[in-house]
Amino acid sequence: MAITPTFSERPRVLVVGGGYVGLYTAFNLQKKIANSGGIVTLVDPLPYMTYQPFLPEVAGGNIEARHAVVSHRKHLKQTELIQGSVTSIDHENRTAVVAPADGGANIELPYHDVVIAAGAVTRTFPIKGLAEAGIGLKTIEEAVALRNQVLDLIEQASTETDPEARKRALTFVVVGGGFAGIETIAELEDMARAAVKLNKRVDQSELRFVLVEAMGRIMPEVTEKQAVWVVEHLRSRGVEVLLNTSLDNAEGKGIKLINLPDKTVAQEFEADTLIWCAGVMANPMVRATGFPIEPRGRVSVNTNLQVTGEFGVIPNAWAAGDVAAVPDVTGGLPDGTCVPNAQHALRQAKRLAKNLWASRFNKPLKGYKHKNLGAVAGFGPWKGVAKIMGIQLKGPLAWLAHRGYHGLAMPTVERKFRVIMDWFVAVFAGRDLAQLENLDNPRGAFVAAATPAPKPAAKPAPAEDAKADPEKSEEKNGAKETAAAK
């Protein structure tokens, strides 16, 4: 007998997306809404929220992958969770259609309020070969795969006899000079050099790291003086930093770089690893919501985080985070909206939850306002850069500020504790340099063991003497002729 899943019939606050905004909105509302007779429903294709600032450290082996994610089921116990994707929203009739992640039949959910919190996805450009050769660093799966790939290529190169193949395996390219790109190349460079120290068949001089940035400077969040220091720091570690340079082609593991703005060829070489960290954009699913979208592809909202259209506020519709064009009254992007980062998303979620709850009782709403306190970045143990409330730091102090800030910002006490313990262990034991093999085919070894070995081919039946051995046949014929003569 088929089983039909049941969903709550209570008045619903539908949260679309389980990242920073979705997790915190549901967490702050679930108890209040439940006590008032309603329910919070969170829909996301994944069963966890990823703390993305930790992805470079996951790729670099400093943080265990599962510790950088927060389980929805463990921490949203009063929230109705659906693993799937919202494919359309009919706000006039207060209904949404959800496609389950397992491919089952679509689900139609009625709701009272909807919160658009679908976050951002990697922004790419139509560069030949990029989709086939590149890997991003936006998900925990990408971070784990990247870590294993770098370590595996070093191991492969150690036994490679073809000089060109060996050179290609030990060349690592990162495109994008923002925080994600800089932290990624720094963490991977540190990890790769630690791995090579344990492998006598590979020399440190064979490792090649290339950072490609289309602008004339890196890390716009820090001062120009600090940005120059970061470039000098990376170059002192052997990283090639190429400014005013763009990726033009990546077909067949070939990397073609061009100078900007004249578009002349800068370099051409081969690399087995191409990492894309050149920015993000609002999740395209917002176009299926029917809500007003501004030129950058984000949902239009006011400072209260209410969705707004041509005729003003759209009742019972809310949005925040990277997917929303939230006005920044303190000064943010050139268009006056908030920078898409974790610092804003976490705070917007808390403000959204308070405003949504206040709207139930027709209480005044409070606009979102947060002045960016600064920026911190880590480049491996005891290395980093930071700008905190105008104070510029670099080296060990910046690294400690980076860990202190993100240790506090990591959602939930349980996850904070796990991450801090990872850092504590790494101080004494160093990075975890063990790569995991065959994650894309975990059943391979079992299938090979469980598959019966092919039976040996049957031996051919003895042939006639003449066909089997002509020489013996001639001897027998000769013997017969001699006997006949006698």
Side-chain angles (χ1 to χ4, degrees), residues 122-131 175-176 214 246-248 276-281:
T122 300
R123 180 189 62 187
T124 59
F125 301 102
I127 299 172
K128 292 182 179 179
L130 177 59
V175 179
S246 177
L247 176 66
D248 183 64
W276 184 266
C277 298
V280 298
M281 66 178 193

Side-chain angles (χ1 to χ4, degrees), residues 300-324:
S300 296
V301 299
N302 60 17
T303 57
N304 296 334
L305 307 175
Q306 298 168 293
V307 177
T308 56
E310 183 181 356
F311 302 106
V313 171
I314 297 176
N316 305 101
W318 311 79
D322 295 355
V323 79

Side-chain angles (χ1 to χ4, degrees), residues 393-405:
L393 302 172
K394 61 184 180 182
L397 286 177
W399 179 76
L400 289 171
H402 166 264
R403 292 217 156 170
Y405 172 77

Side-chain angles (χ1 to χ4, degrees), residues 240-324:
E240 299 175 39
V241 181
L242 307 178
L243 303 178
N244 296 310
T245 306
S246 177
L247 176 66
D248 183 64
N249 194 298
E251 292 178 294
K253 296 188 181 294
I255 303 295
K256 180 181 177 182
L257 305 177
I258 57 173
N259 295 310
L260 297 176
D262 57 12
K263 296 188 178 181
T264 57
V265 177
Q267 291 190 37
E268 289 188 84
F269 54 89
E270 292 187 334
D272 281 335
T273 303
L274 172 62
I275 307 163
W276 184 266
C277 298
V280 298
M281 66 178 193
N283 194 322
M285 69 76 52
V286 298
R287 300 190 181 280
T289 65
F291 292 130
I293 307 296
E294 49 89 65
R296 292 170 64 100
R298 300 170 296 175
V299 179
S300 296
V301 299
N302 60 17
T303 57
N304 296 334
L305 307 175
Q306 298 168 293
V307 177
T308 56
E310 183 181 356
F311 302 106
V313 171
I314 297 176
N316 305 101
W318 311 79
D322 295 355
V323 79

Side-chain angles (χ1 to χ4, degrees), residues 5-82:
T6 57
F7 301 95
S8 177
E9 295 181 357
R10 290 180 285 173
R12 175 178 285 109
V13 174
L14 176 62
V15 180
V16 181
Y20 304 106
V21 174
L23 176 75
Y24 272 94
T25 299
F27 184 80
N28 288 316
L29 282 176
Q30 58 180 358
K31 187 175 181 179
K32 294 177 181 177
I33 297 295
N35 290 342
S36 68
I39 191 167
V40 174
T41 299
L42 185 146
V43 179
D44 193 276
L46 298 173
Y48 51 77
M49 168 261 189
T50 302
Y51 190 70
Q52 293 171 5
F54 282 156
L55 293 181
E57 289 203 62
V58 171
N62 273 328
I63 295 177
E64 162 61 34
R66 279 188 290 267
H67 298 171
V69 301
V70 181
S71 167
H72 291 153
R73 291 237 173 248
K74 184 175 178 65
H75 297 284
L76 298 176
K77 295 180 180 178
Q78 291 178 279
T79 296
E80 181 181 53
L81 299 172
I82 301 176

Side-chain angles (χ1 to χ4, degrees), residues 131-211:
E132 294 76 19
I135 182 172
L137 195 64
K138 194 76 172 61
T139 69
I140 198 71
E141 294 81 6
E142 288 174 323
V144 173
L146 186 55
R147 173 172 172 266
N148 290 332
Q149 178 174 320
V150 171
L151 294 173
D152 189 51
L153 285 171
I154 291 172
E155 195 64 34
Q156 288 180 31
S158 71
T159 57
E160 180 59 66
T161 57
D162 180 354
E164 292 303 315
R166 184 182 179 99
K167 187 177 180 180
R168 184 173 65 242
L170 296 176
T171 299
F172 308 95
V173 181
V174 175
V175 179
F179 267 65
I182 299 297
E183 289 187 319
T184 297
I185 201 166
E187 289 285 350
L188 291 180
E189 187 266 346
D190 245 13
M191 181 184 71
R193 298 204 180 279
V196 167
K197 285 181 182 179
L198 303 178
N199 194 326
K200 296 181 180 179
R201 294 191 298 270
V202 181
D203 191 79
Q204 296 284 354
S205 62
E206 294 183 274
L207 291 172
R208 184 185 183 190
F209 285 86
V210 182
L211 177 72

